[in-house]
Amino acid sequence: MSDALKATPNAAKITLPDVPVLFCNARQSVILTTDGEIRIVDHEKAAQLLHDQTVLTCNKPFVENLCGFSLHAVFDLLELFAFVHPGKFCLPTPDGLATALSLPAIDAFDDIPMALLDITKALLQDLSHDPWRAKANPLKISSVMGLQGKGWPWTSFVFSALGEKYDPRIPVISKTDLNIWKNLPEWSEEAPAPPPSHEPITGEETVTRLQQALGEESEKRDQQANYSRLLTGAFAPKNEEHAPHLVLAEAGTGVGKTLGYLAPASVWSEKNQGAVWVSTYTKNLQRQVNEELSKIYPNEELKDNKVAVRKGRENYLCLLNYEEAATGAGLSTNPRQAIALGIMARWAAVTKDGDVSSGTDFPGWLSTLLGYQYTTGLSDRRGECIYSACDHYHRCFVEKSVRKSRHASMVVANHALVMIQTAIAQNQDDLPLRYVFDEGHHLFDAADSAFAGHLTARESYDLRRWLRGAESSRKTRLRGLKSRAEDLVVGDENLAKELQAILEKSRILTADGWKKRLKDRQPKGPCEEFILTIYEQIMARAANDYGPYSIETETFPLIEGVQHKADTLKKALKEIQKPMLALSNGLRKKLNDQTDTLESDTRKRIEAVVAGLERRAHMNIGAWINMLETLIDGQKREEFVDWMEIERIEGRTADIGLYRHWIDPMIPFTAALKPHAHGVVITSATLNDGKKDNWESAEQRTGALYLNEDYQREYFSSPFNYKNQTKVIIIQDVNKNDPDKLASAYFSLFKASGGGAIGLFTAISRLRSVHEKIKIQMGDQNLPLYAQHQDGIDVGTLIDIFRAENNSCLLGTDAIRDGVDVPGNSLRLIAFDRVPWPRPNILHKARREAFGKKQYDDALTRLKLKQAYGRLIRRSTDKGVFVMLDSMMPSRLHDAFPEDIEIQKFGIKDACDQIKEFLT
């Protein structure tokens, strides 16, 4: 035990902070004073009463957002919960904490302060039997967090609960006291897995596996069984080179899609000793697929051996980044750094996989609570990993995940990772043979992001940082190519020269401070000079009313100076690319020449450096050179659409540059997939455009015809009785462009449904306007209102809160529409502010021309409506109403809804009457 912890042991004593207790709703604050008085006051009065006082509350950022004033100092129960129960999920609310601790439910608003005291006592009592003490000593860690009495206010109470006395005068050594990595298990290397066999699977085997997963007592569903049988076609032995078996299947909500494809996938994997990669669109959906796999592998130990979840490197805690941040935590002048790193130390010691992106044991609210910099910001977000040169390499969460996926039977990935993996693979033999793409309607968008080229200020700045590392005097964890490769070229003069050339030539890339220099018209180097001419062309052609939004223009005709600057930049980029490829080739030669003498870890480091160099030399710099050549030659490329854009976020410039996207991004994706894939399933609840026999849109959005023109397809309708379980209403008398009337309509609809409602918006500005106008009224009706982009809570947690509360309402945009899964009465109304037409930008204009003009617009819009409507009914007992507040919705879009649904048109008053009657 360190000197800071050598206090004389006492009997454990639970003491509570002698401070006011505070919580808020939209209109009022409830305060328990230190005299024991409960006071309910408006927020202005609360601000006066609590001025310069320390308070006890739950979820400081959320409370401050509700009450509208900043709190002086806080005992935050959410921080204490994360410290005491690392890796355990709870809703970040008083009710959520009470539920997680098995305490009585909170009945009324004025009961919350006393409940928060009960929660405090329960948490401090739980510390006395802390199961993680040996791995992450709560005394050592909280002592660092206390920052010698200037930091975490809970520190002395943690000591007291553990029978110790906290002495803030005794210094701590944060690197030693936060050193949890020494207790983490190391991964072990295994021999490469042999290639899988090619045994076919049968429909009978698949249905048997499906029934086993459902349980013998479960009701047999013919649709689900037929869906599973169909998918076996994608697992047949491959018969033709570059012609993978392909099955497209739309399975309506309630068919049981997830288990339906996991059954044949697991049978094939078991029979052939090979891996199936299941790819979905979001990380939340990955979590849902992983949960369903527990039905395939009910034994937890077996599942752990069979299943791996794979995400990009940026999703995992980097232990080296954490160590570097922890080293200075005890001497920091920023208490939030010590507090955040202490809580992260407790979490890192117990996490199963190190996933900081709302993984299985990382609450999504933790990043908001502690701050991005010391949570998700500790991941390897810029490809700066030094691999085996890192002291933590053999405990690395990323390396553990990669190795586990190499020997897993089922790998749950996401579309973005699969796209990148197929694009940059050095060896086709390292890629899986069988894929299931769930949420297949999102493949187009995922490929669009993966195979695009952006020659922008931010992208070129990121490349400079990857090559050169930190260049400013301020403390930073940026590690450049020199730190990753310098010892690998020792003794080879030529390779050392190439490394030095890269560092010198990369000075031409965008540097720190570029925004101010461009604003002052003082660019530094060829890259910034080119970006400035892009900015000038955009502003010369910009409309006067672009407001806070991004601004774009077509590339041709070019203004004077663009071609010259493009040519200069092209030559400069080639000067960087040349030594990058030379260094890569030299290191690759070293791998071949020294096969017998290179240590395994050194080999892996070289392979990682080579892959990073080649990826950036070809996919970044190579793409940029091609884009510049188009400007220099003046010849458009038919397969691409190029444009110039100033990206703006809330009215502030975020990036400037030249953009290139494939008109059809499924061309490069399928070209990367075809050489190695043997079988592909693409499935979704919304593949088709309207009618079940219209597969044209599905073929466009999935690239089906590029993979195999002779593919299988089938539509499985939902078993739900939508005619009886839902209503679809179009409001006729609300002006969608009038903010006051739109807000009033939302309030009326939410009141009519009694909560349990989601409001969807096609613009964040309208969402914020409605939220601001109705939040007080909603509170008066005892209808909690939450909002994406407003509450400072991540989308996954917002949905979790909404799911748990029967009468709450949630405002959101696309992420809510695509990611919400709320069975039961918690979701009974969805209201869309207007028809979700595609954004009419330059990229959409080119695709509209290529894919059917008006029909293309309609197809995209119908898919969004289908996706939103499909959120309403998740099981046979659900009831719900879908409301469109846009009276201009054309009848040709009605195919987005089941064909037996009567689409009714009412004024807002009659619509509310209908909603009350139907839901009651």
Side-chain angles (χ1 to χ4, degrees):
M1 186 175 290
S2 69
D3 291 340
L5 306 177
K6 287 181 179 177
T8 303
N10 303 305
K13 183 180 179 181
I14 304 300
T15 57
L16 305 183
D18 186 21
V19 298
V21 182
L22 166 73
F23 203 70
C24 304
N25 62 24
R27 184 184 287 276
Q28 297 175 310
S29 296
V30 58
I31 302 170
L32 173 62
T33 69
T34 53
D35 295 330
E37 179 187 2
I38 294 285
R39 300 191 62 179
I40 298 179
V41 298
D42 62 40
H43 297 322
E44 185 176 354
K45 182 66 173 176
Q48 295 171 0
L49 291 172
L50 300 175
H51 180 66
D52 283 344
Q53 290 199 56
T54 300
V55 301
L56 185 150
T57 191
C58 167
N59 197 345
K60 176 178 179 280
F62 183 62
V63 169
E64 287 183 332
N65 189 58
L66 276 175
C67 68
F69 60 87
S70 297
L71 299 172
H72 172 64
V74 171
F75 285 89
D76 194 333
L77 279 170
L78 209 53
E79 291 179 358
L80 184 60
F81 178 87
F83 181 88
V84 175
H85 293 293
K88 182 175 180 178
F89 178 78
C90 77
L91 294 176
T93 62
D95 278 315
L97 285 172
T99 300
L101 297 172
S102 301
L103 296 175
I106 304 171
D107 294 327
F109 182 58
D110 57 359
D111 291 336
I112 292 177
M114 291 302 298
L116 293 183
L117 290 180
D118 291 339
I119 290 166
T120 306
K121 186 176 181 180
L123 286 170
L124 292 173
Q125 286 174 335
D126 285 350
L127 267 177
S128 63
H129 46 83
D130 174 28
W132 313 116
R133 186 168 184 170
K135 288 185 173 183
N137 190 309
L139 290 172
K140 289 186 176 184
I141 293 172
S142 65
S143 187
V144 174
M145 296 166 71
L147 212 59
Q148 296 183 293
K150 301 173 185 176
W152 203 38
W154 288 112
T155 295
S156 62
F157 296 90
V158 168
F159 268 66
S160 180
L162 292 168
E164 299 283 353
K165 183 176 177 59
Y166 174 57
D167 186 348
R169 296 169 301 176
I170 301 175
V172 296
I173 304 173
S174 58
K175 181 176 179 178
T176 301
D177 293 339
L178 296 181
N179 180 359
I180 46 80
W181 49 86
K182 66 182 179 183
N183 296 319
L184 296 178
E186 295 189 357
W187 49 260
S188 57
E189 199 69 75
E190 296 182 51
S197 306
H198 301 284
E199 293 292 326
I201 62 173
T202 66
E204 288 70 24
E205 291 173 308
T206 293
V207 173
T208 299
R209 175 62 53 85
L210 176 63
Q211 198 60 41
Q212 289 171 348
L214 291 169
E216 295 302 325
E217 301 293 321
S218 66
E219 174 188 355
K220 292 185 178 180
R221 291 183 281 179
D222 290 340
Q223 275 188 309
Q224 188 180 33
N226 291 336
Y227 171 78
S228 280
R229 284 192 186 94
L230 173 74
L231 302 191
T232 60
F235 295 94
K238 188 177 178 183
N239 297 321
E240 298 179 44
E241 187 179 8
H242 302 326
H245 294 293
L246 173 64
V247 177
L248 261 61
E250 177 167 329
T253 306
V255 169
K257 171 167 57 72
T258 307
L259 273 183
Y261 62 66
L262 291 178
S266 61
V267 170
W268 182 88
S269 175
E270 184 178 308
K271 199 170 185 178
N272 291 281
Q273 299 299 297
V276 178
W277 277 54
V278 177
S279 177
T280 189
Y281 189 50
T282 66
K283 296 161 190 172
N284 282 333
L285 291 170
Q286 278 183 273
R287 184 175 62 183
Q288 291 176 27
V289 173
N290 187 35
E291 289 169 356
E292 285 291 283
L293 275 162
S294 296
K295 297 176 183 177
I296 298 289
Y297 306 110
N299 180 283
E300 188 174 342
E301 185 177 350
L302 177 63
K303 181 188 174 186
D304 189 54
N305 288 328
K306 293 283 189 181
V307 177
V309 177
R310 281 283 283 117
K311 300 179 182 179
R313 304 185 66 88
E314 70 279 3
N315 293 284
Y316 299 90
L317 175 69
C318 170
L319 292 172
L320 181 57
N321 283 347
Y322 177 80
E323 180 189 1
E324 291 178 354
T327 298
L331 301 175
S332 173
T333 57
N334 176 14
R336 296 308 303 170
Q337 178 180 351
I339 294 168
L341 291 172
I343 291 175
M344 286 298 290
R346 292 277 290 173
W347 172 81
V350 307
T351 177
K352 182 179 178 181
D353 52 20
D355 184 352
V356 292
S357 63
S358 300
T360 54
D361 55 21
F362 188 86
W365 45 260
L366 204 52
S367 290
T368 303
L369 186 72
L370 303 180
Y372 163 83
Q373 183 178 2
Y374 300 114
T375 51
T376 52
L378 292 172
S379 63
D380 174 21
R381 306 189 73 83
R382 304 181 188 92
E384 300 159 343
C385 182
I386 56 177
Y387 296 90
S388 61
C390 176
D391 291 339
H392 308 293
Y393 180 66
H394 290 282
R395 295 184 177 95
C396 175
F397 292 119
V398 176
E399 293 298 324
K400 188 182 297 182
S401 169
V402 170
R403 279 158 179 75
K404 186 177 181 182
S405 68
R406 288 174 182 166
H407 297 273
S409 301
M410 305 289 292
V411 180
V412 184
N414 56 64
H415 295 345
L417 176 68
V418 172
M419 299 287 172
I420 294 297
Q421 182 173 271
T422 56
I424 67 173
Q426 298 291 321
N427 186 349
Q428 295 286 328
D429 293 337
D430 294 335
L431 296 172
L433 304 181
R434 307 283 173 172
Y435 292 89
V436 176
F437 291 103
D438 197 356
E439 298 295 302
H441 60 287
H442 283 302
L443 277 175
F444 191 96
D445 294 329
D448 188 32
S449 297
F451 294 93
H454 294 176
L455 174 46
T456 68
R458 182 185 291 173
E459 292 286 329
S460 54
Y461 174 53
D462 283 346
L463 178 59
R464 179 178 178 131
R465 289 189 300 179
W466 187 84
L467 293 170
R468 297 183 58 81
E471 296 182 274
S472 62
S473 58
R474 66 177 184 268
K475 291 183 179 180
T476 175
R477 296 188 303 271
L478 293 175
R479 292 178 288 274
L481 183 62
K482 183 177 181 180
S483 66
R484 295 191 296 274
E486 189 172 34
D487 61 320
L488 300 176
V489 300
V490 169
D492 191 319
E493 185 178 346
N494 291 330
L495 291 186
K497 286 182 179 179
E498 300 295 358
L499 175 59
Q500 188 59 36
I502 294 170
L503 302 180
E504 289 297 324
K505 301 296 184 182
S506 60
R507 292 180 186 276
I508 65 97
L509 296 168
T510 306
D512 199 16
W514 64 267
K515 288 184 183 180
K516 185 178 187 307
R517 287 194 297 277
L518 292 184
K519 182 179 179 181
D520 296 340
R521 300 296 198 274
Q522 294 180 344
K524 180 181 177 182
C527 197
E528 290 184 18
E529 290 172 359
F530 172 74
I531 298 294
L532 180 59
T533 63
I534 294 290
Y535 176 84
E536 291 171 343
Q537 176 161 326
I538 295 167
M539 295 308 296
R541 294 170 186 169
N544 293 325
D545 58 349
Y546 52 78
Y549 306 108
S550 297
I551 320 166
E552 61 181 23
T553 188
E554 294 178 343
T555 52
F556 295 107
L558 300 170
I559 65 170
E560 186 176 353
V562 174
Q563 279 182 314
H564 173 67
K565 298 297 183 185
D567 189 52
T568 302
L569 179 56
K570 172 191 165 184
K571 293 173 182 175
L573 288 173
K574 285 190 171 184
E575 288 296 306
I576 304 174
Q577 188 186 47
K578 183 179 177 181
M580 287 176 70
L581 293 175
L583 178 58
S584 171
N585 291 334
L587 289 173
R588 192 178 288 281
K589 184 176 186 297
K590 187 174 183 177
L591 282 175
N592 295 330
D593 292 347
Q594 301 180 25
T595 300
D596 298 333
T597 57
L598 282 176
E599 294 183 359
S600 176
D601 286 348
T602 303
R603 169 175 288 278
K604 288 183 174 63
R605 278 189 62 202
I606 294 175
E607 289 172 345
V609 170
V610 167
L613 284 167
E614 292 183 350
R615 176 183 174 185
R616 287 163 177 82
H618 292 300
M619 295 189 68
N620 290 86
I621 295 179
W624 295 347
I625 289 171
N626 288 335
M627 293 162 68
L628 292 169
E629 286 174 344
T630 299
L631 298 184
I632 297 165
D633 298 341
Q635 299 293 322
K636 292 183 180 180
R637 296 280 299 275
E638 291 185 2
E639 66 271 37
F640 299 118
V641 54
D642 295 348
W643 74 95
M644 301 171 179
E645 182 173 348
I646 302 172
E647 285 192 55
R648 305 174 88 208
I649 299 175
E650 296 185 352
R652 296 183 177 181
T653 297
D655 206 0
I656 307 170
L658 178 66
Y659 295 75
R660 166 170 285 180
H661 283 234
W662 284 79
I663 291 178
D664 186 353
M666 302 315 293
I667 293 174
F669 171 58
T670 53
L673 192 67
K674 279 183 74 171
H676 68 273
H678 285 210
V680 178
V681 171
I682 301 177
T683 188
S684 170
T686 51
L687 276 181
N688 285 298
D689 174 21
K691 297 178 181 178
K692 64 183 181 181
D693 57 350
N694 184 358
W695 291 88
E696 182 178 351
S697 176
E699 290 172 346
Q700 285 180 354
R701 305 292 294 176
T702 63
L705 297 181
Y706 300 135
L707 285 172
N708 191 336
E709 293 184 5
D710 186 24
Y711 71 91
Q712 291 177 274
R713 67 190 186 199
E714 196 161 333
Y715 172 89
F716 298 86
S717 61
S718 172
F720 298 140
N721 188 337
Y722 286 113
K723 184 176 182 180
N724 292 336
Q725 291 180 250
T726 68
K727 278 186 175 293
V728 177
I729 296 174
I730 298 175
I731 305 297
Q732 291 186 299
D733 61 350
V734 172
N735 182 353
K736 65 184 179 184
N737 298 313
D738 186 320
D740 291 329
K741 290 180 179 175
L742 183 65
S744 177
Y746 268 108
F747 175 68
S748 297
L749 292 168
F750 292 167
K751 184 179 176 183
S753 68
I758 288 179
L760 293 175
F761 294 82
T762 57
I764 296 173
S765 58
R766 287 194 295 276
L767 180 156
R768 288 176 169 160
S769 172
V770 168
H771 178 264
E772 185 62 30
K773 292 176 187 297
I774 70 173
K775 63 181 181 180
I776 302 297
Q777 294 171 286
M778 293 288 289
D780 292 343
Q781 295 292 323
N782 195 28
L783 300 174
L785 181 66
Y786 304 98
Q788 184 190 6
H789 306 292
Q790 282 293 101
D791 287 328
I793 299 177
D794 66 286
V795 171
T797 302
L798 280 174
I799 293 170
D800 287 333
I801 295 172
F802 176 76
R803 185 186 293 113
E805 298 181 353
N806 193 51
N807 65 334
S808 64
C809 297
L810 175 60
L811 308 181
T813 54
D814 286 357
I816 299 292
R817 184 195 71 224
D818 291 333
V820 66
D821 183 19
V822 184
N825 200 43
S826 291
L827 175 54
R828 48 193 181 271
L829 182 136
I830 290 177
F832 227 135
D833 73 326
R834 59 184 64 198
V835 176
W837 297 113
R839 183 183 168 202
N841 55 22
I842 291 172
L843 178 58
H844 175 71
K845 178 181 177 182
R847 288 179 176 156
R848 186 179 189 272
E849 190 67 26
F851 295 136
K853 300 183 179 178
K854 179 179 175 181
Q855 287 75 21
Y856 180 66
D857 287 344
D858 290 351
L860 294 183
T861 306
R862 270 192 290 266
L863 285 172
K864 290 180 181 179
L865 292 171
K866 283 180 71 174
Q867 193 72 13
Y869 173 81
R871 306 293 100 188
L872 267 181
I873 307 299
R874 312 303 287 177
R875 52 193 181 197
S876 59
T877 55
D878 291 353
K879 293 185 73 175
V881 181
F882 183 91
V883 178
M884 173 57 70
L885 283 156
D886 188 345
S887 62
M888 300 303 291
M889 177 172 164
S891 58
R892 66 180 184 273
L893 297 182
H894 292 184
D895 282 350
F897 308 105
E899 55 188 6
D900 59 348
I901 291 287
E902 179 187 1
I903 298 175
Q904 299 173 296
K905 297 183 179 182
F906 296 113
I908 188 67
K909 180 182 180 303
D910 290 339
C912 290
D913 290 341
Q914 288 279 327
I915 290 167
K916 288 178 186 177
E917 180 181 351
F918 181 71
L919 294 179
T920 302

